[in-house]
Amino acid sequence: MIARRNLLLLPIAASLLLAGCSRKPAETPAATPPRAVRVATVREGPAEPPILATGLAASRDEARLGFKVGGVIAAIEVREGDQVKAGQRLARIEAAEIDSSVTQARAALDKSRRDRVRGEKLFADDVVTREQLDDLGTAETVAKAQLDAASFNRRYAEITAPSDGRVLARLAEPRELVQPGAPVLVLSASGSGTVLEVGLADRDALRVKVGDGAEVSFDALPGRRFPAKVQEIARASDPRTGTYRCELAVDTSGAELPAFSGLIGRARIVPASSAASSRSYLPIEALVEGDQAKARLYLFDPTTSTVKAAERSVAFVSGADVALDEALPAGTQVITEGAAYLRDGETVRVVADEIAAP
């Protein structure tokens, strides 16, 4: 019985042996190709962050013109956008009242002169005293001053262009009653240049000096940059905003700005003091993780095509770059795209056109 059981097991054992002999050896897994990454070279930059500010563009010389005396506007001879020449009449008020003042002052002067001449004759005849004669002379002087004042006011009953320029705004209309000195027209002088007026916080105003360089862009002109320089800084803050007015002269020699006042501009001011020392700048995408103290990044070794993890403290963020507190050697390369998927010591492959993938 035992022998029969053994005979039954022999075919099973043989089949297992044949199956084991026919099995193929296990294949070695293919090697993983190096991860594709992009790199950037660390550059040197200012030790302090640039100052960013927003303001309005204007002509450097803008005048708000009005009448010396009040009255009813007789005519305004220009409209917004008109080009004007120096000395051109722009507006006038009804002159009947002021002409009457001039006539009255002239008549008073004539009378005082006659009184003085008569007083001199009477003084020669010992009819009036020296004091009375002096009073007549004083009356003549007062009358002449009143005529000069009336004539001066008559000249400023008209608005004339102080220089060649363009009308920026028309603030009143004919037949309106205006008060003395109320602005009627706003005029920009031709050739005076374009400025951007911005407001700076006190900490920024202390860093900026006249002559510091800047770059200006305008929302209405995307993609265009204009060099500029700081030409004026207020020494007193605006009581409404607490900021200090800073005026930037915009260089428009490369591309002329549209003849509009009030364009919104954004300035990037680089104080000269920040150039005294430098920091290492690298793209912000090179930072993998970090906190307020340290940030993690990967340095690339081109000789071995490997990466090395490093931690550096960040001084500040400037646009798309970060500045480090601790300088990196000149020419150091850091991983940008693909940095989030790396391990310390990993071999990588630098690409230029491909998109680094995990």
Side-chain angles (χ1 to χ4, degrees), residues 132-154:
Q132 291 174 318
L133 180 61
D134 292 342
D135 289 343
L136 293 175
T138 301
E140 181 184 6
T141 302
V142 171
K144 184 177 184 305
Q146 290 175 340
L147 176 60
D148 291 342
S151 300
F152 179 82
N153 290 337
R154 178 63 182 85

Side-chain angles (χ1 to χ4, degrees), residues 67-69 89 92-102 106 147-159:
F67 299 107
K68 172 67 170 57
V69 295
R89 188 175 69 180
R92 58 187 176 85
I93 62 173
E94 294 289 354
E97 183 178 358
I98 194 169
D99 285 345
S100 297
S101 299
V102 173
R106 183 174 291 111
L147 176 60
D148 291 342
S151 300
F152 179 82
N153 290 337
R154 178 63 182 85
R155 289 198 303 272
Y156 284 92
E158 295 182 352
I159 298 176

Side-chain angles (χ1 to χ4, degrees), residues 214-269:
E215 185 181 67
V216 172
S217 61
F218 295 94
D219 290 352
L221 304 170
R224 294 170 65 178
R225 300 286 187 271
F226 298 88
K229 283 188 176 181
V230 176
Q231 71 175 7
E232 185 178 330
I233 306 170
R235 295 299 175 181
S237 64
D238 187 326
R240 297 170 300 173
T241 63
T243 60
Y244 292 79
R245 188 181 66 86
C246 177
E247 192 174 273
L248 305 175
V250 183
D251 182 1
T252 60
S253 57
E256 185 176 355
L257 278 175
F260 288 91
S261 180
L263 294 178
I264 298 176
R266 305 182 188 277
R268 183 177 183 272
I269 306 172

Side-chain angles (χ1 to χ4, degrees), residues 261-316:
S261 180
L263 294 178
I264 298 176
R266 305 182 188 277
R268 183 177 183 272
I269 306 172
V270 182
S273 59
S274 64
S277 57
S278 62
R279 296 185 188 274
S280 295
Y281 282 68
L282 55 119
I284 196 170
E285 59 263 28
L287 302 184
V288 178
E289 58 183 10
D291 52 28
Q292 294 181 350
K294 294 286 185 180
R296 184 180 179 87
L297 63 146
Y298 286 96
L299 309 180
F300 176 67
D301 185 351
T303 59
T304 61
S305 296
T306 58
V307 297
K308 179 182 179 181
E311 289 188 344
R312 293 289 188 274
S313 58
V314 175
F316 55 84

